[in-house]
Amino acid sequence: MKVIFGADDTNECVTTVAAYLEANFETRIVDLTSWPELSEAVARGVADGEYRFGVLMCWTGTGTAISANKVPGVRAALAWEPWIARNARLWNDANVLTMSLKRTAPDVAVDCLKAFFAVDGPDPEEVPQIDKIRGR
Ligand SMILES: O=C(CO)[C@H](O)[C@H](O)COP(=O)(O)O
């Protein structure tokens, strides 16, 4: 599975996330440090269908989520613990996961990735709701 990842800064959490993604998926790392440009590149990679999922990190995780969600077809969700990450997939069919690189411990970030990628697809009960925002 192809995943596209980018962070606008680096630290132990970012390198841990990158290493996890590279070990488990065919991963492209986007080398941009402006969070709006980085987010757009990752979001377009997902919206265009080249990558199944995107992962973004910035200081807060909020700017990248807001920016990625400007691209039609992208459903970016900010997660800070695994329950949020899992249910962003299950209940929102999130296709981009964002996290704060400043406020997420590396092991928690990996747990979020595991939870996010463990979900095969959206809960069928939620599909009618998700369909209302698909393509927006
Ligand atoms: O968290 C962020 C956006 O939500 C950014 O990472 C933070 O604002 C730093 O950005 P810059 O390096 O452009 O000052």
Side-chain angles (χ1 to χ4, degrees):
M1 185 169 73
K2 292 176 77 175
V3 172
I4 184 166
F5 170 66
D8 74 344
D9 201 353
T10 193
N11 63 8
E12 188 193 348
C13 190
V14 171
T15 56
T16 300
V17 165
Y20 180 85
L21 292 173
E22 288 187 306
N24 289 280
F25 307 105
E26 188 180 337
T27 301
R28 177 182 159 208
I29 298 182
V30 179
D31 188 21
L32 290 170
T33 54
S34 154
W35 60 265
E37 290 169 13
L38 171 67
S39 309
E40 184 173 1
V42 167
R44 292 209 182 280
V46 173
D48 293 349
E50 187 174 357
Y51 298 91
R52 178 65 186 89
F53 293 108
V55 177
L56 281 162
M57 301 188 84
C58 61
W59 287 10
T60 57
T62 55
T64 44
I66 291 166
S67 178
N69 277 319
K70 299 288 184 189
V71 175
V74 166
R75 293 173 299 282
L78 169 62
W80 56 94
E81 54 105 292
W83 187 86
I84 301 290
R86 173 183 184 275
N87 290 316
R89 284 283 301 121
L90 195 61
W91 296 335
N92 313 133
D93 199 17
N95 50 14
V96 174
L97 174 68
T98 79
M99 293 184 284
S100 165
L101 65 85
K102 292 277 192 192
R103 288 290 182 271
T104 316
D107 61 323
V108 174
V110 169
D111 286 346
C112 287
L113 293 172
K114 288 178 178 171
F116 186 83
F117 288 113
V119 177
D120 282 339
D123 178 346
E125 280 189 18
E126 287 301 316
V127 168
Q129 303 291 356
I130 297 160
D131 282 346
K132 292 176 184 171
I133 61 164
R134 209 175 287 283
R136 276 200 223 158

